[in-house]
Amino acid sequence: MSSVDLVPVLLIATPILAATLPIALGLRFDRVGWSIAALTTTGLFAATAFLATVVYGDGATVTHALGDFPQEYGIELVADELSTLIALLVTGVAAGVLAYTRTGGPRGNTFYTGYLLLTGGLLGLTMTGDVFNLFVFLEITGLGTYAMISSGDGPESAVAALKYLILGTVGASMYLLGVGFLFMATGTLNMAELATALPDVEGQGETLVRVAFAFVFVGFSIKVAQWPLHTWQPDAYQHAPDGVTPLIAALVSTVSAYAFGRVAFTVFGADFLATTPYASEVVVTVGSISVLAGSTLAVIQRKVKRMLAYSSVSQFGLIVAAYGLVTETGLVGAVVHLVGHGLTKAGLFAAVAVVSVSTGARTVDEYAGLAKRRPVAAMAMTVLLVSLVGIPPSVGFVGKWYIALGAVEAELWPVAAVIFLSTMLTLAYAARLLEKMYFTPAAPTERPVPPGAAATDGGSPVETDDPDRVTVGMIGLVVAAAVLVVALGFAGGTFYDLLEPFVEEVFN
Amino acid sequence: MLELLATHYAYALMFVLIAIGLYMIIANQNLVKKVIGVSLFQTAIFLFFISMAYVEGGSAPIVPADETPGELVVASPLPQVIVLTAIVVSIALTAVALSLVMRIYAEYGTLREDTLTEVRADE
């Protein structure tokens, strides 16, 4: 066994084992959590980059059979073109967000235990090649997320976390039920084995497979926050601590959406989606409605974080609709949009956190005149919003372009219309924020008075308006996200080349 | 129809339990009862897996010490292993859920969802 085969295991085992360290070492040292998390996530990113050079450089899929059990009984970890890309996103964002939490985020060693556990769960979700193992990691990710959300100071965060917990558990359980039906039909849980066994299933078994797909789809619709099952997401994003929202918004639903794509295309296969009556139609419809409902709800929000949360509902709607197109271009577009949206939202929520830590502004109205007060943050936010709308050159444009192209190829004109409409609606709420930041002068009376709750970390209340609390790391994170989003806008062709082997395999 | 029900009553029972669990989650105002609903929902799925593994006339899937045991009829062990894992996950979830409920009660002094909505609207 060569050393690269061990990387997928280490990617999952290291953060979960390291999660115990902040608590253990915290008994002796005071603020050791951040250092451990930073070391671990940076190491994970380096390991993933190494894995990427092997996967993309040699064009080889790296698989590791845990405990050397044969494929049909054991659990496999698979790093192919698709999962490596998502793993890069997960480790990159997890390492990057720490730049904010160093001074701005929730403190305490237990927070970083949850942080590492969440990272491990997300990487497991990305790498696993076993449908039941996927359920376990879905729940580990969920547990980490609930803990992260409830680490906020206010009681509201506990309510938001409980709401997400109940809905998230129902979603994961629905998925498990779907897995049960798949197992009944085929007798195996390995994704590769399922992919070969499913096309041969006939008669009554076919009904089982269709039921399985229905449950899997509903389960993931909750996890990915598709309308009307999205209600947990705005609460969770809004009430999570500012340092946590970038991580959750960028990764949790993104990796769930990736997992849905993995199950839909690797396990069920493109043929199943195309030939089963109404399967792709239902997926496309749910996605399209989410696009419209999510962006409409985003336009009417007053709180910036909530607005961006509803925007996530609509962006994930685009991705789910792109899955339902069942074309090569559509699938590439979905993956590019997954990565692009993850980066954009990480940057946007980090920018929102920077703004609220330095000026206390949280609503759209309070953003008035921000460009004068915080020029760098406002500039970066503008670039990120432009990417969210999908104006070239930005990664948001590349994703939407491929999805639209896929819709045209599949001759699904309503979907093409929805994509166009979603761009207009995204522009509606993005422009609202831009107009406030650049063209509305800050009314002197609107200068927000720091509320008493802002002093919960032991600082004096006046500190809220102190620009010194914004560190170079925080600004660096936001600017890095903005630069990356633009840079990847030129990499559309590269994305296509990287993903091509995977897409070819799915459609042939 | 009746015959199908007589032979497959375990599956029918499972879906009844799932429906009761979902109904508790949606309709009950008490947060603790909602958590109980989630547990019931999950337990029903565990029962589904266990009944799926049943083989008529099969015994527990334990390999005897005898080197040539001959033909054995045993229940499928894989779903049982799955359920063991899933039970552990569900216990962790219930623990986290109950700790969140405790925190909500400590902050708001209520366990009812409608009262909670009123209290939060006032703030």
Side-chain angles (χ1 to χ4, degrees), chain A residues 132 139 150 152 156 173 184, chain B residues 41-42 52 82 93 103 120:
Chain A
F132 177 72
E139 292 285 43
S150 64
E156 291 277 348
S173 304
M184 276 172 105
Chain B
F41 182 80
Q42 288 186 306
M52 178 168 94
I82 285 177
L93 275 167
R103 192 164 146 211
R120 289 169 70 200

Side-chain angles (χ1 to χ4, degrees), chain B residues 30-42:
Chain B
N30 191 308
L31 291 179
V32 177
K33 288 185 185 167
K34 272 184 198 289
V35 176
I36 296 174
V38 173
S39 289
L40 188 65
F41 182 80
Q42 288 186 306

